[in-house]
């Protein structure tokens, strides 16, 4: 059932806050998959616990892997011989529907995959066809997506596969994460339009190497994983930098300052690009040993920006563009039409509903700021739409966010964190 609507709070003055972020969804889910095929027990420290990561943990449990909650919030993952006969609920999680099927090929029986209604519209065919090429039997009744059944036989031959991953970098990552356990490993070649979100593939390669897996990514658009044992992990999960965007944006919107402790000096997270975007839009951005601090100035400048490698930032950046003092263009994000919803259409519709002038382009949005007014802001079961609405609400009274609970996909306590950020400002000003 949809959750109640939420009145996005309007800032009464400059925000001055310290925001501690939960762990990265992308890293948490990659570590979970690797831990499932590791040689011994792994420990994930400070993992994200959200709908997407809980669905991933549930998927692994359905295959016989033990994912144990420990008192300090960590996860202990004990690998086991993978079992079939169960079902995987993908929800609306692209990580689950694309990372787990190759793993299910290593199980000893059939594993059925399904998810939310919206998940059935998300692209999956390249992964399913790749698995067939690598020797895995998959039944999808010609749909090329959910629901489908992977018929595991306890082993996967592996080999070389060529796919078009232009719709999602997750197609590549999903094949690489389990490949060390394939008899021949795997070589994945991308053949198609430009790869989106390339940092996410770099993240996958780095996590594999952290687990002792040999990966050759020396040739453009080609990745080779050698068959090998996977070492157990003991890892601290980085903060989710994509989920920082809306909090940092609050500094720019209100002319305040937001500090995020623990921001990594080096990371493969695409969300790190938010530093550059905010700088281009007029913020002062400082990264030091204590973390990242963003301070707003005298308004928000329009921007012409390519978010191809960091497309998850698009909704929040679009919200900032609607509040800017000049027109903006967001480029390189045609592929987000296939995310939780058609994000380009959703942003055009909802920003227009608040009074902005927004046009879709072939690969993004053109946004001309206009005086904005309150209205209902629909979220389309998309967590990033909630975050965009919250940013708009800081400056526009009367933004009523539909189904705010959908943000639990990656940040269950989002509204609590948002309110504490605003309250901290009041405390600091008092």
């Amino acid at each position: 059932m949809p959750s109640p609507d939420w009145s996005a709070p309007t800032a009464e003055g400059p925000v001055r806050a310290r925001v501690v972020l939960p762990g990265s969804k992308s890293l948490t889910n990659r570590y979970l998959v690797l831990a499932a095929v590791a040689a011994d027990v792994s420990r994930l420290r400070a993992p994200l616990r959200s709908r997407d990561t809980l669905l991933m943990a549930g998927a692994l449990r359905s295959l016989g892997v033990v994912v144990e909650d420990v008192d300090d919030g960590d996860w202990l993952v004990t690998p086991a011989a993978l079992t079939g006969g169960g079902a995987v609920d993908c929800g609306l999680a692209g990580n689950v529907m694309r990372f787990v099927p190759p793993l299910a090929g290593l199980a000893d029986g059939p594993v059925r995959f399904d998810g939310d209604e919206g998940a059935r519209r998300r692209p999956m065919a390249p992964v399913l066809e790749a698995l067939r090429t690598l020797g895995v039997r998959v039944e999808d009744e010609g749909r090329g997506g959910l629901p489908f059944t992977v018929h595991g036989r306890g082993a996967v031959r592996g080999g070389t596969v060529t796919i078009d991953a232009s719709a999602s970098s997750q197609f590549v990552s999903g094949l690489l994460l389990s490949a060390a356990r394939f008899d021949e490993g795997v070589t994945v070649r991308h053949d198609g339009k430009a790869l989106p979100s390339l940092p996410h593939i770099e993240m996958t390669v780095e996590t594999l190497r952290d687990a002792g897996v040999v990966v050759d990514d020396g040739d453009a658009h080609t990745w080779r994983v050698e068959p090998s044992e996977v070492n157990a992990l003991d890892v601290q999960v980085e903060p989710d930098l994509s989920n920082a965007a809306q909090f940092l944006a609050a500094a720019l919107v209100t002319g305040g300052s937001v500090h995020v402790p623990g921001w990594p000096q080096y990371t493969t997270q695409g969300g790190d690009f938010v530093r550059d975007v905010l700088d281009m839009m007029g913020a002062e951005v400082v990264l030091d040993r204590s973390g990242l601090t963003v301070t707003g100035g005298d308004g928000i400048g329009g921007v012409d920006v390519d978010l191809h490698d960091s497309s998850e930032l698009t909704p929040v950046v679009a919200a900032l563009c609607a509040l800017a003092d000049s027109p903006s263009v967001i480029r390189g994000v045609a592929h987000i039409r296939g995310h939780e919803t058609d994000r380009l259409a959703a942003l055009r519709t909802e920003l227009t509903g608040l009074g902005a002038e927004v046009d879709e382009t072939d690969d993004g949005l053109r946004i001309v700021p206009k005086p904005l007014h309150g209205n209902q802001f629909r979220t389309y079961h998309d967590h990033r739409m909630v975050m965009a609405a919250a940013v708009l609400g800081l400056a526009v009274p009367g933004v009523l966010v539909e189904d705010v609970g959908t943000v639990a996909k990656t940040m269950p306590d989002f509204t609590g964190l948002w309110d504490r950020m605003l309250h901290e400002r009041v405390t600091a000003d008092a």
Side-chain angles (χ1 to χ4, degrees), residues 60-335:
L60 299 184
R61 290 177 178 128
S62 74
L63 296 174
V65 178
V66 177
V67 182
E68 180 184 2
D69 299 305
V70 290
D71 292 341
D72 54 7
D74 295 351
W75 263 329
L76 291 181
V77 183
T78 304
L82 300 177
T83 57
V88 170
D89 177 8
C90 300
L92 200 52
N95 283 179
V96 178
M97 68 180 73
R98 292 159 183 163
F99 292 2
V100 181
L103 190 65
L106 295 166
D108 64 357
V111 180
R112 180 173 170 78
F113 290 79
D114 204 353
D116 296 355
E117 181 180 349
R120 295 185 174 191
R121 297 189 292 270
R122 300 193 71 176
M124 271 298 301
V127 174
L128 303 185
E129 288 305 313
L131 288 175
R132 292 182 178 114
T133 299
L134 298 173
V136 179
R137 181 183 163 213
V138 182
E139 287 185 332
D140 66 348
E141 299 179 7
R143 284 182 293 264
L146 294 169
F148 58 84
T149 300
V150 174
H151 292 269
R153 294 185 294 183
V156 175
R157 183 188 71 243
T160 299
V161 64
T162 299
I163 64 171
D164 180 353
S166 58
S168 176
S169 66
Q170 292 173 353
F171 297 163
V172 175
S173 290
L175 294 169
L176 299 182
L177 284 168
S178 298
R181 289 284 309 278
F182 296 174
D183 295 343
E184 302 174 14
V186 77
T187 298
V188 180
R189 295 192 177 101
H190 163 66
D191 183 14
K193 296 179 181 179
L195 267 169
S197 305
L198 191 57
H200 282 93
I201 299 178
E202 295 169 355
M203 176 189 293
T204 299
V205 169
E206 185 167 287
T207 56
L208 284 163
R209 289 172 174 158
D210 287 344
V213 176
V214 177
V215 186
D216 181 356
D217 60 348
D219 294 331
H221 298 158
T222 302
W223 300 265
R224 168 67 184 166
V225 174
E226 299 292 339
S228 69
E229 187 173 87
V230 179
N231 296 336
L233 298 167
D234 188 335
V235 288
Q236 180 79 27
V237 179
E238 292 178 3
D240 194 314
L241 307 188
S242 297
N243 277 344
Q246 60 275 6
F247 297 101
L248 299 173
L252 191 54
V253 173
T254 67
S257 182
V258 172
H259 176 73
V260 176
W263 197 281
Q265 296 288 323
Y266 166 78
T267 182
T268 54
Q269 291 190 60
D272 189 48
F273 188 59
V274 71
R275 295 190 291 126
D276 294 323
V277 176
L278 294 175
D279 177 73
M280 287 186 280
M281 301 188 84
E284 178 185 350
V285 181
V286 177
L287 176 62
D288 57 27
R289 289 185 178 181
S290 69
L292 180 69
T293 303
V294 172
T295 304
D298 299 325
I300 304 170
V303 68
D304 188 329
V305 63
D306 189 329
L307 294 178
H308 186 261
D309 287 342
S310 306
S311 60
E312 64 270 28
L313 299 176
T314 302
V316 166
V317 174
L320 286 173
C321 293
L323 297 170
D325 57 16
S326 58
S328 295
V329 177
I330 297 174
R331 305 179 188 276
V333 292
H335 59 284

Side-chain angles (χ1 to χ4, degrees), residues 385-398:
M385 294 293 288
V386 175
M387 297 168 183
V391 171
L392 291 160
L394 291 170
V396 182

Side-chain angles (χ1 to χ4, degrees), residues 400-416:
L400 186 64
V401 185
E402 173 203 59
D403 189 19
V404 68
T406 196
V407 80
K409 176 179 170 63
T410 55
M411 190 172 274
D413 191 32
F414 171 72
T415 56

Side-chain angles (χ1 to χ4, degrees), residues 24-35 44 47-48 50-57 60 75 93-96 99 177 237 409:
S24 162
K25 177 200 75 172
S26 297
L27 283 169
T28 297
N29 278 342
R30 282 164 173 78
Y31 289 143
L32 280 170
V33 174
L34 283 175
L44 277 57
L48 175 67
S50 70
R51 188 185 184 214
D52 275 17
T53 61
L54 293 174
L55 284 168
M56 181 65 83
L60 299 184
W75 263 329
N95 283 179
V96 178
F99 292 2
L177 284 168
V237 179
K409 176 179 170 63

